[in-house]
Amino acid sequence: MTHYFKSVDGMTSGGGGGPLGGAAVTNAPLATVIGSGFGGLAAAIRLACKGWRVQVLEKLDAPGGRAYVWRQDGFTFDAGPTIITAPFMLDELWALAGKRFADDVELRLMEPYYRIRFDDGTWFDYSGDAERMRDEVARFCPEDLPQYERFLVEADKCYKLGFEELGSIPYNTVGDLLGAVPNMVRMKGWRSIYRMACGYFSNPKLRIVMSFHPLLIGGNPMSVTCIYSLINTLERRFGVHWAMGGTGAIISAMVKLLESLGGSIRYNAQVARINVQPQANGRGEATGVTLQSGEQLASDIVVSNADTLWTYKNLVEPQYRKRWTNKRIEGSRHSMSLFVWYFGTNKQYHDVPHHMMVLGPRYQGLLRDIFKRHIVPEDFSLYLHRPTATDASMAPAGCDAFYVLSPVSHLDSGTDWTVKAESYRSAIAEALERTVLPALQQHIVTSRVTTPLDFQDRLLSYKGAAFGMEPLLLQSAWFRPHNRSEDVDRLYMVGAGTHPGAGVPGVLMSAKTLEMVVPHVATFA
């Protein structure tokens, strides 16, 4: 599909900005959104439904950001997210425009959700079927089964208090933070999720199974708050899904939805600076952006879906940043990065499920190396994604498409990935061949990699951190960069680096939270 940029002056009037869609109203205020990831597109759609004219500026040649799509040699590879766990949030987005998400994208429920393979060859099939889950727990440790039921009750409480009640609060004031304290106490939010799991399970493998979820959003289970046990409940209630055609099919559908509302996207349009005008009160006010080409685009508000810390450090001049100073940014703790190898084979591995965790010999020690010591050790644990287990369209006939992800330190490791990448990929290939993909290397017909350098240089993530700031308790909610900039008026943040955090549900929620802090279009009349 060819996308194009409709000039603001050329937009026709009438019908726009409402749930019935249509072109944007010419004299409506203009919102400029930097980046077309899930968060940026969701924000753009919500703003268009509220009556804003919307233009999205994308650095790359196609939409998606971290959810970009690679196509080569007949294979399709989703670059980033592969799991949809909160389809109701996409349903809500389409409903705002008077449409149905199911009419544009087909979701398939996974069963099992994941297979977690341990280094000794045993595995746990993590499922949405309650009875199967009980059977799996009992297979590993019958004594832990009663405690598993109690763990589910605790996770349900964290979902209700943490996601439903606190997830969409914008946390603009200390009062918002203080209002959340009772819920935090009830969840015992100071505990790590691993510590919480240890309180319920005696079996070390079950402790891993019930605590690994924060790794999906860039967090260390040894440090991340137990509130993230809510992911367990989210998955049980709403399922783990695959979008037929890949996650990129959702991105394409979001683009079409935005364009049907009169919004526009301009590709190969990297923003070099957010233009800020000083005010009498000493604060700055965003007035538009300057592209790398030197072109200046005026705007009534600016919404950044770029990495939040990168946005502040590189797009907003220091004199306008009293809170998010360079010192504060540099002193923050950042999420892990990723090494991702995309490859296709000329044979199919029918025994490999859609989603699989291939764990190495260490758990706590490996996490310590990644998050604390910032080194790249010789061993690793992997997430292996085989979309062709569900969707034959992702590869040529008789072939399999794969994506294998290894959590690694961000660029503070000092690793020269231009040198390290091939030997690291080769080590992963050997490990997969030895464990779950026999004779792999003789069947590879296409291959490409993404390293922490790509996260820094291509996706503009600070220090190459794949998920923004690490989701620690004191880097969450009010302590995380706010959806409405604390430093610059008429500047807003959406995506993984702001509240509530990373993951597709998190960034979609950040777009919903944005609605609560963006001024009504009538204020610009």
Side-chain angles (χ1 to χ4, degrees):
M1 180 176 68
T2 301
H3 305 301
Y4 55 93
F5 177 67
K6 304 171 186 174
S7 70
V8 173
D9 294 337
M11 289 183 178
T12 58
S13 61
L20 298 181
V25 180
T26 305
N27 61 355
L30 175 64
T32 295
V33 179
I34 304 170
S36 64
F38 268 103
L41 290 175
I45 290 165
R46 286 180 175 274
L47 288 169
C49 289
K50 291 290 187 181
W52 290 82
R53 288 180 298 148
V54 182
Q55 61 176 354
V56 179
L57 303 175
E58 172 53 56
K59 170 184 180 288
L60 303 178
D61 61 351
R66 287 167 174 76
Y68 188 88
V69 178
W70 298 108
R71 294 182 174 88
Q72 63 183 50
D73 302 325
F75 293 82
T76 301
F77 301 105
D78 283 317
T82 60
I83 296 169
I84 300 299
T85 56
F88 63 91
M89 299 193 72
L90 293 165
D91 291 338
E92 179 183 288
L93 202 58
W94 259 252
L96 289 172
K99 300 183 179 182
R100 295 177 67 249
F101 174 68
D103 291 338
D104 292 333
V105 179
E106 178 189 354
L107 295 183
R108 292 276 180 91
L109 182 66
M110 298 288 96
E111 183 56 45
Y113 291 169
Y114 322 97
R115 173 168 293 167
I116 302 166
R117 183 193 185 276
F118 297 95
D119 194 52
D120 62 4
T122 60
W123 69 76
F124 185 107
D125 276 348
Y126 192 102
S127 169
D129 184 294
E131 199 56 44
R132 288 183 186 177
M133 279 294 286
R134 292 186 186 96
D135 289 344
E136 285 291 89
V137 170
R139 187 165 63 86
F140 276 79
C141 185
E143 296 79 13
D144 277 348
L145 189 56
Q147 287 295 90
Y148 170 65
E149 303 292 346
R150 296 183 182 95
F151 174 83
L152 296 184
V153 171
E154 186 79 3
D156 288 348
K157 181 170 72 174
C158 288
Y159 177 83
K160 181 180 186 298
L161 300 177
F163 188 81
E164 292 185 337
E165 296 186 11
L166 301 183
S168 61
I169 294 174
Y171 293 103
N172 281 320
T173 67
V174 174
D176 291 335
L177 173 64
L178 294 177
V181 168
N183 278 13
M184 299 293 290
V185 171
R186 291 172 67 189
M187 292 183 285
K188 301 178 182 177
W190 54 86
R191 297 172 299 168
S192 74
I193 190 169
Y194 184 75
R195 182 180 170 193
M196 173 184 169
C198 289
Y200 287 97
F201 302 98
S202 62
N203 184 280
K205 291 179 179 178
L206 292 179
R207 290 175 172 181
I208 293 172
V209 167
M210 302 302 167
S211 70
F212 79 91
H213 282 98
L215 287 166
L216 302 177
I217 56 170
N220 179 358
M222 303 299 158
S223 306
V224 166
T225 171
C226 65
I227 296 169
Y228 283 97
S229 64
L230 66 84
I231 300 175
N232 179 289
T233 298
L234 186 72
E235 291 180 341
R236 282 187 288 112
R237 291 191 183 179
F238 303 104
V240 170
H241 302 266
W242 167 254
M244 296 301 286
T247 308
I250 302 178
I251 293 294
S252 294
M254 293 177 80
V255 170
K256 288 181 181 179
L257 182 61
L258 174 62
E259 291 178 339
S260 76
L261 296 167
S264 61
I265 303 185
R266 181 172 173 179
Y267 300 105
N268 300 305
Q270 182 174 343
V271 172
R273 185 176 68 254
I274 294 171
N275 300 333
V276 179
Q277 182 72 33
Q279 301 179 88
N281 62 6
R283 290 174 58 86
E285 179 180 270
T287 60
V289 300
T290 299
L291 303 185
Q292 275 200 330
S293 64
E295 181 181 0
Q296 296 196 29
L297 301 172
S299 188
D300 292 291
I301 64 171
V302 176
V303 178
S304 181
N305 181 221
D307 179 78
T308 305
L309 296 186
W310 190 92
T311 295
Y312 276 121
K313 195 169 192 297
N314 294 279
L315 300 186
V316 180
E317 293 176 330
Q319 65 266 33
Y320 298 114
R321 291 188 276 119
K322 299 296 187 286
R323 180 174 175 86
W324 292 104
T325 62
N326 288 353
K327 181 178 180 181
R328 186 185 186 96
I329 291 169
E330 290 158 6
S332 301
R333 288 174 59 178
H334 312 288
S335 75
M336 66 191 184
S337 191
L338 304 172
F339 181 94
V340 190
W341 176 30
Y342 313 89
F343 62 94
T345 61
N346 60 9
K347 69 166 287 188
Q348 293 180 310
Y349 291 85
H350 296 289
D351 292 337
V352 176
H354 194 121
H355 300 294
M356 189 176 195
M357 314 298 171
V358 184
L359 303 184
R362 299 187 300 150
Y363 186 59
Q364 294 189 56
L366 180 62
L367 294 173
R368 189 179 304 112
D369 285 347
I370 294 170
F371 287 94
K372 304 289 188 183
R373 300 179 65 200
H374 299 301
I375 64 173
V376 180
E378 295 301 315
D379 61 322
F380 35 68
S381 287
L382 307 170
Y383 160 56
L384 181 64
H385 175 227
R386 179 180 168 245
T388 35
T390 304
D391 190 347
S393 74
M394 303 297 283
C399 298
D400 260 344
F402 289 94
Y403 149 147
V404 61
L405 175 157
S406 176
V408 295
S409 170
H410 55 64
L411 290 172
D412 273 0
S413 71
T415 304
D416 185 349
W417 284 103
T418 62
V419 174
K420 179 75 172 177
E422 178 51 29
S423 64
Y424 199 77
R425 184 209 63 79
S426 179
I428 290 174
E430 291 173 5
L432 291 175
E433 189 170 66
R434 188 172 62 249
T435 54
V436 296
L437 300 177
L440 167 64
Q441 296 185 78
Q442 68 189 59
H443 291 290
I444 295 171
V445 293
T446 191
S447 175
R448 72 179 305 130
V449 301
T450 289
T451 77
L453 274 179
D454 295 300
F455 279 94
Q456 174 184 261
D457 299 338
R458 184 171 180 274
L459 296 174
L460 305 182
S461 298
Y462 183 66
K463 293 192 176 184
F467 303 90
M469 293 170 64
E470 188 179 355
L472 304 170
L473 185 61
L474 294 182
Q475 291 191 161
S476 300
W478 185 82
F479 301 101
R480 204 167 182 83
H482 295 185
N483 304 95
R484 180 172 62 201
S485 173
E486 305 97 304
D487 289 321
V488 178
D489 293 339
R490 299 194 181 184
L491 173 62
Y492 303 87
M493 303 292 165
V494 69
T498 185
H499 173 70
V504 175
V507 301
L508 293 177
M509 183 70 82
S510 76
K512 184 174 182 176
T513 305
L514 188 74
E515 282 190 337
M516 302 173 66
V517 295
V518 168
H520 192 276
V521 292
T523 63
F524 292 89

